[in-house]
Amino acid sequence: MAVAIAAARVWRLNRGLSQAALLLLRQPGARGLARSHPPRQQQQFSSLDDKPQFPGASAEFIDKLEFIQPNVISGIPIYRVMDRQGQIINPSEDPHLPKEKVLKLYKSMTLLNTMDRILYESQRQGRISFYMTNYGEEGTHVGSAAALDNTDLVFGQYREAGVLMYRDYPLELFMAQCYGNISDLGKGRQMPVHYGCKERHFVTISSPLATQIPQAVGAAYAAKRANANRVVICYFGEGAASEGDAHAGFNFAATLECPIIFFCRNNGYAISTPTSEQYRGDGIAARGPGYGIMSIRVDGNDVFAVYNATKEARRRAVAENQPFLIEAMTYRIGHHSTSDDSSAYRSVDEVNYWDKQDHPISRLRHYLLSQGWWDEEQEKAWRKQSRRKVMEAFEQAERKPKPNPNLLFSDVYQEMPAQLRKQQESLARHLQTYGEHYPLDHFDK
Amino acid sequence: MAVVAAAAGWLLRLRAAGAEGHWRRLPGAGLARGFLHPAATVEDAAQRRQVAHFTFQPDPEPREYALETQSPLPRNFEMGQTQKMNLFQSVTSALDNSLAKDPTAVIFGEDVAFGGVFRCTVGLRDKYGKDRVFNTPLCEQGIVGFGIGIAVTGATAIAEIQFADYIFPAFDQIVNEAAKYRYRSGDLFNCGSLTIRSPWGCVGHGALYHSQSPEAFFAHCPGIKVVIPRSPFQAKGLLLSCIEDKNPCIFFEPKILYRAAAEEVPIEPYNIPLSQAEVIQEGSDVTLVAWGTQVHVIREVASMAKEKLGVSCEVIDLRTIIPWDVDTICKSVIKTGRLLISHEAPLTGGFASEISSTVQEECFLNLEAPISRVCGYDTPFPHIFEPFYIPDKWKCYDALRKMINY
């Protein structure tokens, strides 16, 4: 009954309003209603009215031929709290985070930055096989991580190490995964930066892009059923958003009413492919309404904007069981990975602009300075300290052996199948005879 | 004259169409209804659509099943209260048991809410609620990805892919994600509580996209299990095992058996172990291996061999494609010295190749004849040519005869 009334109300509101306006007017319902949003196809069927009766759309007739112009000249506006100099623009949007929290944001970003420098260099020196830096995107990581509960489940793509950093994932374990050493909880199976942490609710990264998107939706559905009061956040880049899995995930989240935050890091490039070759519409945020998803675009280099948007999205996603899409605009300052040299497809000037004029770390530092919570001395001391911490972890990681080669064979299934055990035994026998040709010295006995 | 000839020609077409049951579709067919004669002649029988290429044979009752469970001692299984169920009903029963036992279990896919296009989920939404039995949008990669996500949280996800022919959009999620979840995370995460069910195999008229048996594509993927039942009793026990198994499983249901196969099936839940082939008939001269519908074909071939050639066949239902039961097959071939494997899927790269290759490695000196594979041709699955395409009992019998005379 309430559903029918709500449906009728929405139907009346539909008249004379544009689609976009309708979405803004959608009132959040309280959790516990049979449906959070009035279903649009449940109107009473009446053949006497000259109104559209199609089950597939809730709209009025129009007798003028008009194509909707996709509005890409002036796209969805970008929400920000701080200007590029770290000054709050609109005081009512200042989240007024306590000093400890803002310092934690700052230290997470800078520690990540330091770790990135050292590990990138270590790949160049042949110590690890591969690395991906997070330069320029640190704000998207920590701003969003800080707005979540520690138990909210995270599905990432590969450039979200700051989320783990914010959740206090130890340097030792970052390094262990990159080195594939005996301390790696992933047991040395994946390339560097494919982190995972059960304790910190960070699902292990996999290389195929966007596969995590429908998975995150499923996890959110399960969280909803379990009444877990938990949101799932799913990170992906603007390139991955072109994958079919992204479309699948968005559509499922909306139709199945899942408490999920889709967080798109739009950093301008998918390896060498600029956004002008990735999409022709208004970025990723503009796709949300097409699926019936609440959407916003934010300045990803503004930690407070990211924080505010994620915080509100989290509150409503859990309360209303609906998905939210946040497109965080940012810039990938580093190369795609150690296998990439981005000077082949973009100018050094462009990169320098972002590094010098619009960097999440600098902007937050300006804010800290203006609050009197930080100064040059502390900056120097922290730089020294963070560098030392990273170097210590690095040297330790380097010294540790790799895991026992038997771990090549376990965890394919929960139990090892007979045929696989035979293969494991066959390798053991092979190594007995030919062991000298293998790097056994580096591996745990 | 021409008019009479034309009318006669038209009538013949209608009769032929009538024999096939297609008469409604011909123009003017409504008017011609009075002209149709009862289709009782020999020509009509030839033009009538093919009857099934197999005869379903339920396993003999009563059944005592020794189960290997967590406990070291095998438990003997008593059937308990049973009900006559066909294959889709036995699937419904398994799903019903699962949702009753496991409050986290959910069933989803295209059209499952109203009961499913093959009626496998009839009644479940009413019984367990719309949050537990629900439709998804039409998107297989989404269905499987979504299912993986549910399983990652530890809840039980039972996904349906409407036809195995449409599983390919989900191939990436299955092979790159589901199969590798536990391994790549060092066992921090897994999606073991995911089961994917899908109708499989030839159905008489399915053609390219409603007849496929894609098990070979998945056999090449360590980390998942692929299971195919031959009967309602097997289906329920194997499906329950898949659902409870701690690894992602694909359960292919021979759609031609949904109605054609019916037998007494226990109402209560029970498990049939995975990765265990079953010797359903013992023999000494030839080993015949198949799975799904084809088990009934080779069982009939075994009878033909006995009757016409005096040959004693050992008939084995493989049941789990991966990880497969090498020991049971090899043990049998060591005894008989001859092996024939048969499946509907195309010959090249079909799962018979894997069995053949392994058996010749393990049992080379025991073989009396080359291993024989009787399979579908290396073509897409045709429509009108299905009777010629499928590895029917005559082809299997002929191959067996050649093996015996080698």
Side-chain angles (χ1 to χ4, degrees), chain A residues 212-230:
Chain A
Q212 74 276 16
I213 302 178
Q215 293 172 19
V217 177
Y221 189 88
K224 175 172 82 162
R225 278 212 72 237
N227 274 317
N229 232 318
R230 218 180 169 198

Side-chain angles (χ1 to χ4, degrees), chain B residues 37 49 58 82 97 153 168 174 191 212 222 242 293 297 351:
Chain B
H37 299 257
R49 277 166 46 209
T82 67
N97 291 154
T153 69
F168 301 107
I174 293 169
C191 58
Q212 288 180 49
C242 285
T293 316
V297 176
F351 198 65

Side-chain angles (χ1 to χ4, degrees), chain A residues 23-43:
Chain A
L23 281 158
L24 290 170
L25 282 169
R26 264 224 191 135
Q27 295 305 309
R31 199 168 175 211
L33 279 179
R35 290 190 65 130
S36 340
H37 328 291
R40 299 204 273 194
Q41 285 85 32
Q42 310 300 341
Q43 302 146 284

